[in-house]
Amino acid sequence: MVTINGKEVSGHTGSSILDYLTQSGYDPAKVAVECDGGVIPRKDYADKVIRDGEIIEIVSFVGGG
Amino acid sequence: MPTEEEIFEALDERHTEEIRRKLWDSRVDIAGLGGLGSNIAVMLARAGVGHLHLVDFDVIDLTNINRQYYFIRQLGMPKTEAISEILHDINPYIDIKTENVKITPENYSKIFGGAMILVEAFDSAANKAMLVNAAMEQTPETKIVSGVGLAGYMDSNLIRTRKISDNFILCGDGVNGLESGHHLMAPRVSICAGHQANAVLQLLIEGGKNIR
């Protein structure tokens, strides 16, 4: 079980952040991802594996300013 | 022209001397001087923030005037120059540093290294993400105040401020962007700019302890 954007979800431990983002419809070029309060560097999205108990926050950016 | 002392007295009357001193000694960095950045810079200047570092590479176009804090007489001017003019009309004694440059992950730390508070005020989603990631990766001690989801003319009350983590504050409705076919109009852009400027004041005056 992991917590993603405040919701407990199962079935994602062992996936990479990049896999999770693309499977969930996020554009990896338009997000910022934090895990347990620290940023996950963009270059690590493919390597960083989601582990049980982690709290992940994905901020998805939209245009306008 | 009022003296610096007279402006201080007026600000003291409005905000108290303690808050005026705190804000006058503060520096805020703003990336992007469009609808968000130009309005945020004006609000922070009126509040009496003493040091502003403003970065944008663009010039003013007629299509900017619907929401950005610029005037017809400034068409064609670099936004850095036009905003400096406006801010000095509000407070001639503010220390303004501008840079006319396109921000990338490569030049990020050269431009914003040492920034205590960085306001993300870009237009495109990819650039917003680039800046926030560069800040979190390269200057993790910098507090970022980002604006996301402010397009259209739907419910004003959807726009809010929330703390993602200690150094990352997000303002906006989070979803309504140019991608969803909405256009940018002055009221919601200004509302989001107001949220961002107020979050900056909360950070400067009391360390952001009341931002949730």
Side-chain angles (χ1 to χ4, degrees), chain A residues 11-56:
Chain A
H12 295 294
T13 50
S15 303
S16 72
I17 291 291
L18 184 62
D19 285 343
Y20 179 80
L21 290 174
T22 49
Q23 283 161 18
S24 307
Y26 289 104
D27 178 348
K30 295 180 182 170
V31 298
V33 184
E34 288 192 326
C35 179
D36 293 338
V39 67
I40 299 178
R42 296 179 123 183
K43 63 174 171 47
D44 296 343
Y45 286 177
D47 298 330
K48 158 68 193 157
V49 169
I50 298 172
R51 294 196 187 85
D52 196 44
E54 284 178 335
I55 297 171
I56 293 168

Side-chain angles (χ1 to χ4, degrees), chain B residues 44-196:
Chain B
L44 295 179
R46 291 195 194 280
V49 172
H51 307 269
L52 293 172
H53 180 209
L54 311 171
V55 185
D56 197 298
F57 69 94
D58 210 359
V59 297
I60 298 164
D61 178 86
L62 192 51
T63 63
N64 298 153
I65 303 297
N66 80 322
R67 68 190 190 283
Q68 306 188 13
Y69 207 106
Y70 300 114
F71 301 96
I72 293 287
R73 63 178 159 79
Q74 295 179 312
L75 290 175
M77 272 174 89
K79 290 181 180 178
T80 48
E81 204 179 300
I83 200 71
S84 300
E85 208 175 83
I86 292 166
L87 300 180
H88 278 142
D89 276 347
I90 292 166
N91 185 335
Y93 307 104
I94 296 182
D95 163 39
I96 301 170
K97 187 181 159 214
T98 61
E99 285 184 79
N100 247 300
V101 62
K102 191 164 170 53
I103 300 156
T104 65
E106 290 69 37
N107 66 15
Y108 168 83
S109 64
K110 188 164 167 271
I111 299 169
F112 294 116
M116 300 288 288
I117 297 178
L118 173 61
V119 177
E120 179 282 305
F122 282 154
D123 197 23
S124 94
N127 281 337
K128 286 173 179 290
M130 178 277 293
L131 184 80
V132 168
N133 278 287
M136 292 198 299
E137 291 178 27
Q138 298 180 36
T139 59
E141 69 291 349
T142 300
K143 293 188 185 296
I144 311 154
V145 180
S146 179
V148 180
L150 46 103
Y153 54 89
M154 66 283 292
D155 191 352
S156 301
N157 295 330
L158 296 172
I159 294 175
R160 61 198 189 103
T161 298
R162 68 189 176 109
K163 185 189 272 189
I164 303 294
S165 57
D166 277 349
N167 288 345
F168 182 16
I169 292 156
L170 197 63
C171 302
D173 68 26
V175 288
N176 289 298
L178 297 170
E179 300 79 357
S180 32
H182 298 299
H183 301 283
L184 296 169
M185 302 181 83
R188 289 184 107 242
V189 172
S190 305
I191 291 166
C192 188
H195 272 255
Q196 289 181 270

Side-chain angles (χ1 to χ4, degrees), chain B residues 30 33 36-45 52 54 83 87:
Chain B
I30 302 179
L33 295 169
L36 292 174
S38 62
N39 280 294
I40 293 164
V42 164
M43 286 186 256
L44 295 179
L52 293 172
L54 311 171
I83 200 71
L87 300 180

